[in-house]
Each structure stands twice: as structure tokens, then as C-alpha cells.
């Protein structure tokens, strides 16, 4: 009698597996509009396939279901959203600055990039401090993720002016740029070493119209063609112009990518590229690009880093132009009372009714007070010369300082091929100054 019973259980198990496999998540958006890509959910459940569609893009993808149920919904951003039980994993997007490499760490969350498509403009490779958008999957508590798509491009490229070292600010092509303790200096020691009129390239996070918080600064970049990013103001569809900060942009002869002329509107963040420097405050764009797309569909897991604007209360403010409600959020990095316009934060939560309902909020910089900065590298040492110079994930590291702490080893154990996790609080002249080096095993 045991054999038929086992056969019956086996058939039931196979049928259940087939049913589960038909309910996987993971929609695909087109790369051109920086929509969410295909991906793998995080969990221990069975694998499956799903399709998401929306807007002008339709995609399909395969995914591994989490420990809870997942379902694919049609969304306006071209993605499928997992929803269901306590182990649910949702399609996600993260927008901010890369604060770590070894996969990619964005806004403090590490995404595995083993199967991701990575697209980097305006540089040869992704580096610490560069702005980026990651699409993929995250777990419900925003502790781990799997990326399917990483996109990065610079925000400004042009002559620097109006440098104010004391205030930590400067202008580039009509945009007012501010810095903080987390600004990465790629090939200079800081703002005091930047000469007025020199050509610089800036990655950063748009704040109020006409402003940008710099996350990485590079002197004398290649390429050199001018680039400006910001929120559109004073749109004049008849004359085909708009303003970005103090710059009047003419887009009549421009090509478009990730956005079209009919979608231009005041408040929309765009990149405008040209071939010639502005003439006074007039700039002719040869290409207008949509900035990193921020999904708005209910249930999307969203990570944003940026400067607070339009602050009314803890439950009503904006980050990167997105309405935010942090009423019930876990807040770290500073007192709740320090929240306000100009404060740089990282927020993790889920979209609901066009509002990002936040689970976690980290205060990263309060004007006049400062804030914590941290960068992480995970990988094998290469190019080892001494504790004062080696590379991890291509990033130069200096671990020779008297305050550097070593874990599971000493400075004598530093060598090519040795796997380490390096944490530092600043990048100067392109070198990460290590605070802690932890030796790890593969």
C-alpha cells in the first residue's frame, strides 16, 4: 500500500511545482527609457516566468520566486511587481550614487550584478560616487538585492565658475553645485584645488530647480562636449526652449532619448547635451535625454538618494521630485527634527498612490552640521605596491594611515589576490582612504 501512496504524493508534488512555475515574477522594460529589466527574485522558492507591460514598452523575463507568492501586474513603467505573502520580493529601482563596488552598493544596499547589464556613459567604467540607476529585485527589508540593469551617466560637464570654498559651492553652466563630506574627488584634493574656468565633470543628485548636490567631481574629463542636467522650468513649446538653472536651452534641432518632445514639462529632470559651450546664457542642445526614470506604480520597491525639497512635515516632502511620506519610517543618521529642505537623505520604501511610503530613512548630511560618509569595496587586491597603494575593484586604496583598523589579519597580509572588504570615509585625489580592512575568504 505504500508504493501507490508515494506515487500519488509524487504526482501531486509535480503538479504543484508546475503551478508555481507558472506564477513567477519579472517584467522587462526597454533600456532606452531606463525601465526595469528582467530579473531574479530573492528567496528559496521555485523558478518561474512572467511578463510585465506598460507605457510604450513590453518585456518578459524569468525569475526565481521568493519564499512568498509573486504575481505580475501591468504597470506604467514596463515592469511586473511581485506581491503577496510575508516572503514577497518586489521589482525595484534604486537611484542614487554608487557608494561601493564589489557588485554595486547603492544607497547602502548591495546589489549582485553577476547577471546585470551595465551601461556607463561619460566614463570608461563605473566608479565610486557616480550617479546611477539600478533595476532588479530587493528583499522586503532592503538588505540585499539582485540587479538586472545598471545605468550611469554624468550630470554636468563644462567650465567651473563662482567657486566659494567656504560655502562648498560652485557653478557649472548655470547650475549651482554644492558639495558635502561624501563628495568624491576623482583627481584633485578638493574644491580649493579647482581653478576657476577649468573644465570639470560632475556626477550628482538634482535638488531644487537649478541646483545639484555633487557626488563625484573630475577635472579635465574626456569627452569634453558640454552637458547640463536639471529640472525643466519656463518651458516654451512654441519656441522650443526651456531653462535649466540660469541656462536657456534651445531644443528645436535636438534628438531625444528616453523621452520625447511631447513629454517635456516643467519639473521634469532631463540631461541636455551639446557640441558647443553656451553663448552667454544660451545653450543649443543637440540631444535631450530623460534622466533616471522613477517608477510610480503601486508596489514598486524604490530607493532614492537626494536632497529634501518642498518640506512640510515628516509625512510630506520630496526627494528627486518624488512625494515622500516618512511618517512611520525608521530614521537613522541624525535626529528626526533635523529633517528639512537641503538635508541629504536616503529613503527606502514602496510606492503607493504616487507617494513613496518609506520604511527606512538615513540622514546623510545636514547643512552646517555635516553627516556620515562611507564607501565600501569588496573583492581581491590587485596592483599591490604597499599598504599606501593597492587596488580593489580597480579603485586605488590607501590603508597606511595610523587609524586604519585591520580585521582577521594585519597590514603584512596585504597582497595581490587576497580578498578584502575595505571601508573608508573619503576619496581624495582618486584614492579611498581606508578606515577598516577586513580579510575575507572566497
Amino acid at each position: 500500500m505504500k508504493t501507490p501512496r508515494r506515487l500519488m504524493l509524487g504526482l501531486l508534488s509535480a503538479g504543484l511545482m508546475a503551478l508555481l512555475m507558472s506564477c513567477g515574477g519579472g517584467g522587462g522594460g526597454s533600456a532606452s527609457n531606463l525601465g526595469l529589466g528582467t530579473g531574479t527574485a530573492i528567496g528559496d522558492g521555485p523558478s518561474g516566468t512572467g511578463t510585465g507591460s506598460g507605457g510604450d514598452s513590453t518585456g518578459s523575463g524569468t525569475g526565481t520566486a521568493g519564499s512568498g507568492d509573486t504575481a505580475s501586474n501591468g504597470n506604467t513603467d514596463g515592469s511586473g511587481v511581485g506581491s503577496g505573502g510575508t516572503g514577497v520580493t518586489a521589482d525595484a529601482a534604486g537611484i542614487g550614487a554608487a557608494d561601493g563596488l564589489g557588485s554595486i552598493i547603492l544607497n547602502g544596499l548591495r546589489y549582485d550584478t553577476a547577471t546585470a547589464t551595465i551601461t556607463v556613459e561619460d566614463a570608461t567604467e563605473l566608479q565610486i560616487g557616480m550617479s546611477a540607476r539600478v533595476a532588479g529585485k530587493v528583499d522586503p527589508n532592503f538588505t540585499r538585492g539582485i540587479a538586472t540593469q545598471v545605468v550611469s551617466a554624468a550630470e554636468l560637464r563644462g567650465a567651473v565658475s563662482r567657486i566659494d570654498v567656504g560655502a562648498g559651492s560652485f557653478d557649472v553652466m548655470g547650475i549651482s553645485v554644492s558639495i558635502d563630506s561624501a563628495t568624491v574627488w576623482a583627481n584633485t584634493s578638493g574644491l580649493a584645488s579647482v581653478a576657476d574656468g577649468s573644465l570639470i565633470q560632475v556626477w550628482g543628485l538634482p535638488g531644487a530647480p537649478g541646483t545639484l548636490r555633487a557626488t563625484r567631481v573630475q577635472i579635465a574629463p574626456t569627452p569634453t562636449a558640454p552637458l547640463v542636467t536639471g529640472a525643466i522650468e519656463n518651458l516654451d513649446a512654441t519656441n522650443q526652449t526651456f531653462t535649466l538653472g540660469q541656462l536657456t536651452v534651445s531644443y528645436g534641432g535636438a534628438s531625444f532619448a528616453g523621452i520625447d518632445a511631447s513629454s517635456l514639462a516643467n519639473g521634469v529632470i532631463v540631461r541636455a547635451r551639446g557640441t558647443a559651450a553656451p553663448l552667454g546664457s544660451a545653450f543649443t542642445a543637440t540631444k535631450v535625454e530623460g534622466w533616471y526614470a522613477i517608477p510610480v506604480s503601486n508596489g514598486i520597491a524604490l530607493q532614492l538618494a537626494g536632497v529634501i525639497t518642498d518640506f512640510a512635515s515628516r509625512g510630506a516632502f520630496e526627494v528627486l521630485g518624488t512625494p515622500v511620506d516618512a511618517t512611520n519610517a525608521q530614521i537613522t543618521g541624525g535626529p528626526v527634527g533635523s529633517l528639512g529642505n537641503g538635508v541629504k537623505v536616503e529613503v527606502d520604501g514602496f510606492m503607493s498612490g504616487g507617494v513613496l511610503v518609506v520604511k527606512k530613512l538615513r540622514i546623510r548630511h545636514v547643512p552646517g552640521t555635516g553627516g556620515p560618509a562611507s564607501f565600501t569595496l569588496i573583492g581581491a587586491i590587485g596592483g599591490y605596491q604597499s599598504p599606501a597603494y593597492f587596488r580593489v575593484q580597480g579603485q586605488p586604496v590607501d590603508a597606511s594611515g595610523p587609524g586604519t583598523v585591520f580585521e582577521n589579519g594585519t597590514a603584512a597580509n596585504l597582497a595581490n589576490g587576497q580578498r578584502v572588504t575595505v571601508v573608508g570615509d573619503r576619496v581624495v585625489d582618486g584614492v579611498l582612504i581606508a578606515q577598516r580592512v577586513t580579510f575575507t575568504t572566497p
Side-chain angles (χ1 to χ4, degrees), residues 97-111 375-378:
D99 45 31
L101 302 175
S103 293
I104 181 175
I105 301 172
L106 189 83
N107 306 341
L109 192 152
R110 184 182 182 190
Y111 291 85
F375 304 102
T376 304
L377 302 172
I378 302 172

Side-chain angles (χ1 to χ4, degrees), residues 112-148:
D112 184 344
T113 56
T115 59
T117 299
I118 300 177
T119 303
V120 179
E121 290 188 77
D122 309 305
T124 57
E125 61 183 347
L126 187 68
Q127 296 174 300
I128 288 177
M130 288 183 178
S131 67
R133 182 188 193 275
V134 177
K137 299 280 187 179
V138 297
D139 72 300
N141 291 317
F142 295 90
T143 60
R144 57 193 176 126
I146 296 178
T148 57

Side-chain angles (χ1 to χ4, degrees), residues 425-438:
D425 65 348
R426 65 192 188 281
V427 179
V428 180
D429 279 328
V431 179
L432 175 65
I433 310 302
Q435 295 173 297
R436 185 174 69 252
V437 178
T438 303

Side-chain angles (χ1 to χ4, degrees), residues 39 41 53 109 117 153 196 214 221 250 259-260 290 302 427 432:
S53 63
L109 192 152
T117 299
D196 189 78
S250 298
I259 195 171
D260 54 48
L302 186 60
V427 179
L432 175 65

Side-chain angles (χ1 to χ4, degrees), residues 87-301:
V88 69
T89 51
D91 282 339
I95 299 171
D99 45 31
L101 302 175
S103 293
I104 181 175
I105 301 172
L106 189 83
N107 306 341
L109 192 152
R110 184 182 182 190
Y111 291 85
D112 184 344
T113 56
T115 59
T117 299
I118 300 177
T119 303
V120 179
E121 290 188 77
D122 309 305
T124 57
E125 61 183 347
L126 187 68
Q127 296 174 300
I128 288 177
M130 288 183 178
S131 67
R133 182 188 193 275
V134 177
K137 299 280 187 179
V138 297
D139 72 300
N141 291 317
F142 295 90
T143 60
R144 57 193 176 126
I146 296 178
T148 57
Q149 183 187 67
V150 180
V151 178
S152 177
E155 273 65 49
L156 292 173
R157 187 166 54 241
V160 61
S161 62
R162 298 173 60 88
I163 297 173
D164 187 333
V165 176
S169 65
F170 56 91
D171 286 2
V172 176
M173 292 180 61
I175 301 295
S176 177
V177 183
S178 60
I179 62 173
D180 58 36
S181 57
T183 301
V184 172
W185 298 94
N187 53 0
T188 187
S189 59
L191 185 57
S193 300
V194 179
D196 189 78
S198 59
L199 181 66
I200 68 171
Q201 181 162 283
V202 181
W203 289 262
L205 303 171
T211 68
L212 186 83
R213 179 62 55 88
T215 56
R216 183 181 177 92
V217 179
Q218 177 187 1
I219 308 299
T222 300
T224 59
L227 161 67
V228 61
T229 299
I232 291 175
E233 296 182 283
N234 304 311
L235 177 65
D236 184 343
T238 301
N239 293 309
Q240 296 182 304
T241 63
F242 53 79
T243 59
L244 297 178
Q246 301 300 312
L247 206 61
T248 298
V249 179
S250 298
Y251 64 88
S255 62
F256 286 82
I259 195 171
D260 54 48
S262 64
S263 299
L264 297 178
N266 289 327
V268 172
I269 301 174
V270 295
R271 288 185 178 91
R273 298 179 182 270
T275 57
L279 184 60
S281 62
F283 178 62
T284 300
T286 56
K287 187 176 185 179
V288 177
E289 301 172 346
W291 199 64
Y292 305 124
I294 300 177
V296 297
S297 299
N298 289 343
I300 287 284

